[in-house]
C-alpha cells in the first residue's frame, strides 16, 4: 500500500478558483455564424458588412475560438473539368499571439473534413507568393506546390 502524497507545509495549496482561472480555455473550431462577422472582420482587418455578406454566400467559414475568435478558415468547393470537385482554401488566418499553437492546423483539418464530406478528393490552398511562413505551414501539413496562380485586375 502506498503512502499518501503530502505537500511540505511551506508549499501553499492552489485555490480551486485560481486553478480554474489560470487554465486556458479549450480550443473550439465551429461553423461561423452571422453574429461572428464583426469579430472575424476585426481579426482579418476587413469590413464587417463585407464579411457578413460572405457568410451569407457560398463560401464556407469556420472559426477557432478560445474565449474570443482567434482564427478562421474559408473555402469553396469548385467543380472542375479535369479534377472533378476540388476544395479551395481561400483564407486561413490566426491571431498573431496564437500562432504556432496548432490553431491553424486545427482549422485546416476541420476544413478538410468538411470538404471530404462534399466529395472533394483534391484540396488546394491559396497563399501569397511573399508569405514564406505560410508556404512552410502548408508544406508541414502535407500540401505540395502544384501550380502557379496568375491574376489580373
Amino acid at each position: 500500500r502506498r503512502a499518501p502524497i503530502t505537500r511540505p507545509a511551506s508549499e501553499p495549496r492552489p485555490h480551486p478558483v485560481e486553478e480554474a482561472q489560470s487554465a486556458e480555455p479549450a480550443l473550439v473550431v465551429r461553423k461561423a455564424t452571422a453574429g461572428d462577422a464583426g469579430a472575424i472582420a476585426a481579426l482579418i482587418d476587413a469590413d464587417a458588412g463585407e464579411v457578413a455578406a460572405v457568410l451569407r454566400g457560398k463560401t464556407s467559414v469556420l472559426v477557432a475560438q478560445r474565449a474570443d475568435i482567434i482564427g478562421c478558415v474559408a473555402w469553396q468547393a469548385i467543380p472542375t473539368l479535369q479534377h472533378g470537385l476540388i476544395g479551395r482554401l481561400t483564407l486561413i488566418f490566426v491571431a498573431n499571439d496564437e500562432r504556432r499553437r496548432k490553431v491553424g492546423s486545427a482549422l485546416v483539418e476541420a476544413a478538410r473534413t468538411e470538404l471530404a464530406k462534399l466529395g472533394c478528393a483534391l484540396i488546394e490552398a491559396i497563399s501569397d507568393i511573399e508569405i514564406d511562413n505560410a508556404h512552410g505551414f502548408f508544406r508541414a501539413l502535407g500540401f505540395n506546390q502544384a501550380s502557379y496562380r496568375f491574376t489580373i485586375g
Side-chain angles (χ1 to χ4, degrees):
R1 195 170 157 194
R2 293 183 184 200
I5 298 172
T6 58
R7 294 178 193 257
S10 61
E11 186 178 323
R13 289 202 138 146
H15 189 275
V17 173
E18 291 172 353
E19 283 183 337
Q21 289 175 348
S22 67
E24 183 174 63
L27 180 67
V28 174
V29 175
R30 62 172 176 78
K31 184 175 177 165
T33 66
D36 296 325
I40 294 170
L43 178 71
I44 65 172
D45 193 24
D47 178 83
E50 291 177 11
V51 171
V54 169
L55 291 175
R56 290 189 300 270
K58 293 185 180 192
T59 297
S60 297
V61 180
L62 296 174
V63 294
Q65 183 173 9
R66 290 197 201 277
D68 298 316
I69 290 176
I70 57 171
C72 63
V73 62
W75 72 87
Q76 289 187 321
I78 301 168
T80 67
L81 292 174
Q82 72 277 34
H83 300 294
L85 194 62
I86 64 168
R88 179 175 292 160
L89 302 181
T90 59
L91 171 80
I92 180 162
F93 193 92
V94 175
N96 286 337
D97 59 342
E98 292 286 344
R99 292 182 182 165
R100 300 200 183 280
R101 299 184 66 207
K102 306 290 183 195
V103 176
S105 300
L107 285 165
V108 170
E109 187 56 36
R112 288 179 67 182
T113 298
E114 293 301 313
L115 287 163
K117 289 177 189 176
L118 296 174
C120 299
L122 178 67
I123 298 172
E124 63 183 21
I126 295 174
S127 174
D128 290 336
I129 283 177
E130 295 85 18
I131 306 177
D132 288 337
N133 59 343
H135 304 163
F137 168 75
F138 287 121
R139 286 186 181 105
L141 293 178
F143 286 79
N144 297 304
Q145 183 176 354
S147 67
Y148 289 100
R149 181 171 174 249
F150 297 92
T151 62
I152 192 167

